[in-house]
């Protein structure tokens, strides 16, 4: 059965803030390069990616818990894209129908915009070619509270795993990709604690001007640069202990522990960005639906300058 899994953190600050410990950055980049070479050899016929959004493609005017892209483009934030993603439309529709039949209400879009939460890992894993492989992007709301429960997130992953199982895996080589996390607390605005102008953006901020996007990104860069200079007061510290415990839970396939996690608990332990671990939950649940797996942790580096507990793992089915 030709199925592989990769889950990876992301950080838009990778190109804007240099960690004081250069070995951390080197380990992350070497790991991405190693896995990119493995993906090139594997030559997936389909990638299914579970990824978050940072108010670039999804807004409060209509915020789904989960959404599959039937057609999709890169939002172009942080210079990843823009451009169309290579979505196999009929296969994406088949996935949506089967997931719905399994009892999970999956929204779908013919005009999805995937932001850096999806496109940055694709950039590093696919030699900068976002449309290199057929791809079905599945958005999981990880930023706009209230968020989907972890139990429903796992159910989504299991339903997608059942869809993968229905494919002719003698013809398909499937890569399951989960992006986001681990612990981090970027300066993402939150409804109820912002100005009227920012609230209007959170509700309907699609297609910003280049100047507006640059101004927004500059605020994140400024935080990363302050952290790189040693100022730890500008962000909630990373939680390496929580991250490592979480990696152990994924390795053990302890879905009961994942389903017991609450939005509040994740917020306290992993920060605002820690909510993105839902994407890993769905990816691993899809993999587990196909059989027992063996997980490999390629790197874990708590890089405060990137505002990310940066983890990259892979998994394959046990033979």
């Amino acid at each position: 059965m030709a199925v592989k899994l990769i889950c990876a953190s992301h950080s838009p600050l990778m190109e804007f803030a240099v960690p004081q410990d250069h070995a951390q950055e080197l380990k992350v980049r070497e790991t991405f390069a190693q896995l990119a070479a493995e993906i090139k050899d594997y030559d997936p016929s389909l990638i299914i990616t579970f990824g978050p959004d940072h108010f670039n493609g999804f807004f409060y005017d209509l915020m789904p818990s989960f959404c599959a892209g039937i057609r999709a483009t890169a939002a172009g934030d942080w210079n990843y894209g823009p451009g169309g993603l290579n979505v196999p439309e009929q296969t994406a529709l088949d996935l949506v129908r089967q997931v719905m039949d399994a009892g999970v209400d999956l929204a779908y879009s013919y005009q999805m915009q995937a932001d850096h939460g999806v496109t940055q890992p694709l950039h590093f894993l696919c030699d900068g070619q976002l449309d290199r492989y057929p791809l079905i992007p599945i958005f999981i709301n990880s930023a706009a509270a209230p968020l989907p429960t972890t139990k429903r997130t796992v159910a989504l992953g299991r339903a997608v795993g059942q869809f993968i199982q229905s494919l002719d895996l003698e013809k398909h080589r499937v890569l399951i990709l989960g992006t986001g996390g681990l612990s981090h607390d970027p300066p993402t605005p939150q409804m109820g604690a912002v100005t009227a102008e920012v609230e209007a953006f959170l509700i309907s901020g699609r297609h910003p001007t280049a100047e507006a996007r640059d101004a927004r990104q500059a605020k994140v860069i400024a935080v990363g640069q302050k952290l790189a200079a040693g100022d730890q007061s500008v962000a909630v510290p990373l939680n390496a202990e929580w991250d490592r415990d979480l990696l152990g839970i994924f390795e053990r396939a302890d879905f009961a522990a994942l389903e017991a996690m609450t939005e509040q608990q994740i917020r306290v332990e992993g920060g605002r960005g820690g909510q993105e671990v839902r994407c890993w939950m769905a990816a691993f649940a899809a993999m587990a639906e196909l059989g027992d797996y063996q997980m490999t942790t390629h790197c874990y580096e708590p890089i405060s300058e990137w505002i990310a507990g940066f983890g990259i793992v892979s998994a394959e089915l046990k033979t």
Side-chain angles (χ1 to χ4, degrees), residues 62-103:
L62 184 61
M63 180 59 68
S65 292
F66 314 121
C67 183
I70 309 301
R71 299 173 188 165
T73 60
D77 59 315
W78 298 98
N79 298 322
Y80 297 111
L85 301 180
N86 181 11
V87 181
E89 190 168 320
Q90 187 57 54
T91 305
L93 285 168
D94 291 343
L95 181 150
V96 170
R97 289 191 180 99
Q98 186 157 333
V99 170
M100 286 182 170
D101 286 345

Side-chain angles (χ1 to χ4, degrees), residues 89-291:
E89 190 168 320
Q90 187 57 54
T91 305
L93 285 168
D94 291 343
L95 181 150
V96 170
R97 289 191 180 99
Q98 186 157 333
V99 170
M100 286 182 170
D101 286 345
V104 179
D105 294 326
L106 178 60
Y108 50 92
S109 171
Y110 279 80
Q111 203 172 38
M112 179 187 282
Q113 287 196 350
D115 83 348
H116 72 273
V118 170
T119 56
Q120 187 192 65
L122 282 177
H123 171 84
F124 286 114
L125 293 171
C126 301
D127 296 328
Q129 302 175 51
L130 301 183
D131 60 351
R132 182 170 187 170
Y133 301 107
L135 168 82
I136 300 175
I138 300 176
F139 159 75
I140 296 178
N141 176 22
S142 305
L147 305 179
T149 65
T150 56
K151 186 173 183 179
R152 290 304 291 166
T153 302
V154 169
L156 168 69
R158 288 174 174 153
V160 172
Q162 292 165 17
F163 167 77
I164 295 171
Q165 201 164 37
S166 73
L167 298 173
D168 184 348
L169 291 177
E170 292 185 358
K171 297 180 180 179
H172 285 282
R173 295 172 305 283
V174 179
L175 173 64
I176 303 168
L177 179 60
T179 72
L182 300 167
S183 67
H184 65 299
D185 195 57
T188 304
Q190 306 285 298
M191 287 289 282
V194 293
T195 65
E197 180 183 6
V198 175
E199 184 175 286
F201 164 78
L202 294 176
I203 294 172
S204 56
R206 289 178 184 80
H207 310 297
T209 64
E211 293 77 13
R213 175 165 280 167
D214 288 346
R216 182 184 175 200
Q217 293 179 173
K219 294 177 182 178
V220 181
I221 293 171
V223 172
Q225 291 175 339
K226 287 181 179 179
L227 288 166
D231 182 357
Q232 300 295 314
S233 68
V234 294
V236 176
L238 305 177
N239 189 343
E241 181 179 0
W242 184 75
D243 291 341
R244 292 189 176 98
D245 287 346
L246 192 59
L247 291 174
I249 290 172
F250 286 123
E251 186 172 13
R252 297 191 302 273
D254 187 353
F255 290 100
L258 296 175
E259 290 178 339
M261 292 182 180
T262 66
E263 180 178 335
Q264 179 62 20
Q265 176 193 353
I266 295 172
R267 174 69 179 84
V268 170
E269 298 290 342
R272 282 172 287 186
Q275 305 288 359
E276 295 173 353
V277 297
R278 286 169 173 76
C279 302
W280 291 46
M281 293 178 187
F284 273 100
M287 190 70 167
E289 197 67 19
L290 301 167

